[in-house]
Amino acid sequence: MKKIISSGLVASVALLAFAYICILIMPVLLPKVAEEYYSPAFVNDESRNMFYYVHPVLLAFGLAWFWNRFKSLLKGNALMQGIEMALIYAAIATLPSLIILYSAINVSLLTVGSWLLYGFFQALIAGIIFSRMHV
């Protein structure tokens, strides 16, 4: 339990930093995607912005639990284990939810693809951290 909490905290900080960096670079790298966030399909209520920062913390602890439970199935060095975990997370959690979102709200496939990559890299970062901390 101690490893789940400690690695969850470290991953939370890393994923929060990643989220903040993504906010800063997304308008530069993907200006068309950034424009979509001004669409009426998205809630424009600043009181909900905190959930963008709560999500990485909840995700980090959920992935820490998952890692602790299934780490013996992930083989290779820290990078390979992180990639495998990221692929599992993307296939099981991210992709199915994005298909539903794409069917329900008016966003481009590019936006959905950016969300898929974002989720993949979140799990990759967390997986590398867990691999190094759960030895």
Side-chain angles (χ1 to χ4, degrees):
M1 186 64 154
K2 187 176 178 180
K3 281 188 178 183
I4 293 173
I5 293 171
S6 61
S7 64
L9 286 170
V10 172
S12 291
V13 171
L15 294 183
L16 281 166
F18 179 65
Y20 186 71
I21 290 167
C22 285
I23 283 178
L24 296 177
I25 65 171
M26 198 240 318
V28 175
L29 294 179
L30 298 168
K32 294 273 189 206
V33 172
E35 278 180 33
E36 283 192 52
Y37 286 98
Y38 294 105
S39 155
F42 293 94
V43 174
N44 189 15
D45 180 2
E46 289 184 17
S47 69
R48 293 187 188 187
N49 287 354
M50 71 169 195
F51 289 112
Y52 183 80
Y53 298 104
V54 169
H55 172 264
V57 175
L58 295 175
L59 179 62
F61 282 99
L63 289 175
W65 172 84
F66 177 86
W67 179 273
N68 194 54
R69 192 94 162 99
F70 298 102
K71 65 185 169 200
S72 64
L73 301 175
L74 305 173
K75 305 297 180 204
N77 61 26
L79 178 61
M80 291 310 296
Q81 288 178 325
I83 289 171
E84 191 171 0
M85 187 167 115
L87 289 171
I88 292 167
Y89 174 69
I92 292 174
T94 308
L95 188 59
S97 62
L98 290 178
I99 289 170
I100 291 296
L101 281 171
Y102 183 69
S103 72
I105 63 174
N106 188 23
V107 291
S108 71
L109 215 46
L110 179 62
T111 298
V112 173
S114 73
W115 293 341
L116 182 61
L117 282 174
Y118 179 69
F120 174 85
F121 282 108
Q122 284 180 309
L124 175 64
I125 292 165
I128 291 170
I129 289 169
F130 301 149
S131 177
R132 303 225 176 204
M133 291 186 73
H134 286 237
V135 252

